[in-house]
Amino acid sequence: MYVVIKKNSDLGKIQLLKQRIEQMDCKVVEISDREQIKIGIFTKNIQEIVSKLRKEEIIEKIVQIDSPFRFSSKEFKESETIIEVKGRKIGAGNLVVIGGPCSIESREMIFDIAKTVKEVGGEFLRGGAFKPRTSPYDFQGLGEIGLKYMREACDRYELVMVTEVMDTKDIELVGKYTDIFQVGARNMQNFSLLKELGKVKKPVLLKRGLSATLKEFLMAAEYIVAHGNYEVILCERGIRTFESATRNTVDINGIAYLKSKTHFPIIIDASHGTGIRELVEPVTLGALLAGADGAMLEVHKNPECAYSDREQTLNYEQFRQCVEKIKKTMEFKESLKCI
Amino acid sequence: MYVVIKKNSDLGKIQLLKQRIEQMDCKVVEISDREQIKIGIFTKNIQEIVSKLRKEEIIEKIVQIDSPFRFSSKEFKESETIIEVKGRKIGAGNLVVIGGPCSIESREMIFDIAKTVKEVGGEFLRGGAFKPRTSPYDFQGLGEIGLKYMREACDRYELVMVTEVMDTKDIELVGKYTDIFQVGARNMQNFSLLKELGKVKKPVLLKRGLSATLKEFLMAAEYIVAHGNYEVILCERGIRTFESATRNTVDINGIAYLKSKTHFPIIIDASHGTGIRELVEPVTLGALLAGADGAMLEVHKNPECAYSDREQTLNYEQFRQCVEKIKKTMEFKESLKCI
Amino acid sequence: MYVVIKKNSDLGKIQLLKQRIEQMDCKVVEISDREQIKIGIFTKNIQEIVSKLRKEEIIEKIVQIDSPFRFSSKEFKESETIIEVKGRKIGAGNLVVIGGPCSIESREMIFDIAKTVKEVGGEFLRGGAFKPRTSPYDFQGLGEIGLKYMREACDRYELVMVTEVMDTKDIELVGKYTDIFQVGARNMQNFSLLKELGKVKKPVLLKRGLSATLKEFLMAAEYIVAHGNYEVILCERGIRTFESATRNTVDINGIAYLKSKTHFPIIIDASHGTGIRELVEPVTLGALLAGADGAMLEVHKNPECAYSDREQTLNYEQFRQCVEKIKKTMEFKESLKCI
Amino acid sequence: MYVVIKKNSDLGKIQLLKQRIEQMDCKVVEISDREQIKIGIFTKNIQEIVSKLRKEEIIEKIVQIDSPFRFSSKEFKESETIIEVKGRKIGAGNLVVIGGPCSIESREMIFDIAKTVKEVGGEFLRGGAFKPRTSPYDFQGLGEIGLKYMREACDRYELVMVTEVMDTKDIELVGKYTDIFQVGARNMQNFSLLKELGKVKKPVLLKRGLSATLKEFLMAAEYIVAHGNYEVILCERGIRTFESATRNTVDINGIAYLKSKTHFPIIIDASHGTGIRELVEPVTLGALLAGADGAMLEVHKNPECAYSDREQTLNYEQFRQCVEKIKKTMEFKESLKCI
């Protein structure tokens, strides 16, 4: 449920109201949505809270949310959420390109890629220090030293850092370095992890599970929200289907569907989504036009020598060209709104 | 296998060569591909034919095709195939919008829709007279009378007619009316039907099967080609996956993949692909940008009264707006080629 | 809808009633179900027919069927349907083993296999003369000559013949030879074919489509029934999923589900269902215990030399052993009923 | 890689050899396989270790494993692994029935079910104290108090306790109570969790992920093994497919396939696998005959009042009957080995 605050209400009164609601043993979230201030209230005792709030002077109306994904839904917040990290904005038409390697392989390597990402106008650097690999015998990532290298590269080139955290026990460590936590597809329903990430003060980029329904995806986002973190970025990275010509199947329907159901920004990762270098650009552009707010791209100086994901990683020139077209596509998408 | 003809060869000599090859008990297809004339040769005795052709003066080179989808592949023909029907062109950047109802319901109804399709600039009318319905107790289409109405509407508004043929025994009947034969998803591997459609002189719009792999899809096209019809239009209409929030899952990867493997034009049918009216426009636009050459759209004056496919059918205003954006997207796509 | 006839009604009166109903422009089917005689009535004007029948003296009650698969459902007929062909029975605990090659390759070959099938106690011979192949360039079957060889082999060894018909135009030809028509997975929703097979007087073995839901499967059966043929045998042959270690995924849930919803017999084809020779036996036995009424098995003298389906075909010794265990399993299943 | 020890080697010498190998910075596992003693060696420097071991007197041969699932594979260990817990054996024909509720709801409830499980001859009690629920607003389990109740019930009725652990940080807590750790489907590729469970001294029951391939499933098992725990039980609980009539699709092929590739025991969970009470028994029996070594069954006094999984939970009488038939099926399966 949520309450809409009357226009021009005194800010101090709003703060007092929030405190009173928290004293009723509820968590609250305050958002601004199309000229309105709304206070979302997490509670199991809806009737009780409603009756207590009925006489509050600054409340315009009290609304119960039907959608199962409650505070992630457009029912709660109609306007698109913009997530700010170090001055960059994600969502609502802002250009978002998250580039970087699958795995951090060395200090030199991550610096070189960071430089390239910056040059072409990407503002976000991705890279894995803890890698979820199918086989226990494959390279598992550099660990903390990788995080350090990446942090340095981000500081040097003024990029926002995005890296995966795989386990609740690593949240503190990874949080010392990263700007945005990534939750991998295999962990999308690792509810313990989601709950703990609900308590951090940094955005979470949540990848869709390989066979997660769209409803489950939004519910996973809602886990983070319900535990206190209202900065969620959804990432479509392809689902598992019978088709084997491509690594996964990017769910373009899903992007358009999510856009109609949630206010959170959506990122397309066509590198994992297709698994084929040549398809990354067309699928990224198509996904953006269908509703995605930004793109994640795997890039490497020499993709054929990468430790992992060789077939799907762009080289620098391909990356540059793809980002160029992403910019044009974002502009074109904006222009379509006037039709 | 195919042979490349030397530039500036005498046309008469090319005809004679084709006749000689046909006398070797081979079917042939002559195409023009980026300034070259190529003759595709369907044969099981490659070695024998190669040895017989070796001394032909006007042959520049003899090429064997590795791709399993031989004459549908880019290995055979690099340039995009343009299919012409009644003066309209399908493929290679030409605007293609195929609009119409799921089922033809009456003469008035199909005339009204035809008028609308024409007005907004679509040049192709779709509509079903023979409907493949899951239940034997559901409306099965008007049959031949539906075909007649549709033909009249197409003549009246100068539209190209596209309608489904479900069985070899109906090819003659449907062929009396339609300009383009449609093969439905459930019949994509009805090999008897594909073979017979290989013998007609009209284009075939082939819908991807619900669980057909991309390889099987191209192989189904190759069935038509191998039996003599070189005018195939591929149609992605969504595949069946675990996701149930949408009717099917449009395979945007598949569109980009097909574009890289075949020279035939590709149409996106986001009405069946999504099953949800609101998603049709964004998914159509995204699919076009990812590589599709045109769009098929279900439209009805009052979608909520349609005999079938109500949830996914656009009303006239939605259709008009969608076509408007399709035009812009095709132009934008063209402009991206210069980057 | 159907009517239940009063016990001990005069047979002549039942015939007269059926004729009267047919004169109301309805098709009818008479079945006997657990001591009751029921007459199924195919009509769109349920109310009208009900009112006309209300005063019929020999009718005990009139029942409307809620199930979408009407006459295929247990709602209409509770007891398991037994289909008799040339003295052999399919369904309700009778041992059914349908053995044979994927494709008929020669007269000798099919005779040799027929002999083996007979020796181990199989009573049904399968084999393809018209083969649905993914590629137009692969072996497409021997055609009519294959049918002849197979008919001779069946006559020689007193086996029931099962072979695929792929197209309405072949029904007459195939019908001249076969005892049971097979509809392949790719044609499960070839509604034209299903309708025509509804008019023949021979049983139809209907294979489940690669991505057909169980509901669609039963609806396809209902197409045959609704057009007049009440002898349908369902065949689970694996569905298409993301798993690639096996050719398909046998849907054992589906077998148990079908058993609870329909009275028609169910056959398991674990050769196509698994695609791996070693898995055919365990999966067949498991499927039988879960509810299947019989097994279809691909067998060949030298599987590694077969024209098609090499990896999944049993050799004679494997076939013999598998049939042995099938017999034991059928007996064991019977014994479980007493618990 | 592994080494085979010469027959009748001195046990002390075997211990010394193992210590020497461990000093080479390798983990080792000693197993007995069909009269042979084998020492599995986990190392990245195969060549180096091979050369160091070449002259060891008690080594009969040194073998490199080709299978990607190395120590989980039959290539390493041909004979079926039997896992012993508190005197009960899992694997190799021993009757294994793991019964219990989805969630522990109260002390009385779990005691009552425990009593029933014991009475019908089940020796293992399942029940969730930490529940992975799609929605953050659904019942999440009783937590530690649930574990306590369950431990008491297991002690009272001499049952082996099986319960889920969802996060590395809970391993210690759950380990204080449970006999067998369960890893849920959503955590099958929670590699951090698998690694930590590789370090505990209790068996791990690993559920297959909803869209995990069989290869990924075995690789997940191998994660546990590679980190030191050689007691893994695999559990097939259905995969996610397009079929929606049943909750999941039990992969009976997968059971037969796993049986041919790994020596670890396999459990069928047809409650989650089907999601439909009536299908649990037939699918369980079929899966056992196809290769499963035991069954997990959800049971509740009043399934329709259960906090979760109502549709798929057996009542006491259904459970009793199902266990009865499981016993018969295990005996029958044993008898088939003599054919």
Side-chain angles (χ1 to χ4, degrees), chain B residues 164-184:
Chain B
E164 179 165 352
V165 61
M166 284 174 64
D167 192 39
T168 53
K169 70 172 161 42
D170 298 331
I171 291 178
E172 203 185 319
L173 174 68
V174 176
K176 271 171 46 190
Y177 299 96
T178 199
D179 299 308
I180 298 178
F181 285 101
Q182 179 177 313
V183 175

Side-chain angles (χ1 to χ4, degrees), chain D residues 14 16 52 58 60 62 70 73-74 76 114 117 123 133 138 161 168 190 198 206 218 222 243 265 308 316-317 326 328:
Chain D
I14 297 177
L16 284 173
K52 282 185 184 167
I58 63 167
E60 191 181 303
I62 302 177
R70 304 193 192 172
S73 76
K74 287 221 154 178
F76 171 50
V117 170
E123 300 281 344
R133 303 301 301 274
D138 286 344
M161 175 170 166
T168 53
N190 180 336
L206 178 66
L218 288 170
E222 188 70 7
E243 181 58 65
S308 42
Y316 288 175
E317 177 50 26
I326 287 172
K328 299 274 185 209

Side-chain angles (χ1 to χ4, degrees), chain D residues 40 63 84 127 132 161 245-246 250 258 302 326 331:
Chain D
V63 184
E84 288 203 46
M161 175 170 166
T246 51
V250 166
L258 289 171
N302 301 302
I326 287 172
E331 285 165 21

Side-chain angles (χ1 to χ4, degrees), chain B residues 93-107:
Chain B
N94 292 285
L95 177 74
V96 178
V97 174
I98 307 171
C102 177
S103 318
I104 305 160
E105 298 170 10
S106 71
R107 194 172 185 281

Side-chain angles (χ1 to χ4, degrees), chain D residues 141-160:
Chain D
L142 290 184
E144 185 170 4
I145 191 74
L147 295 175
K148 275 187 191 152
Y149 295 156
M150 197 174 168
R151 181 70 265 164
E152 290 171 23
C154 284
D155 289 344
R156 171 73 182 77
Y157 293 104
E158 296 190 300
L159 295 170
V160 175

Side-chain angles (χ1 to χ4, degrees), chain A residues 133-140, chain D residues 68 70 191 219 223:
Chain A
R133 303 302 301 273
T134 301
S135 168
Y137 307 117
D138 286 344
F139 174 62
Q140 308 272 315
Chain D
R70 304 193 192 172
F191 298 118
M219 278 307 198
Y223 257 94

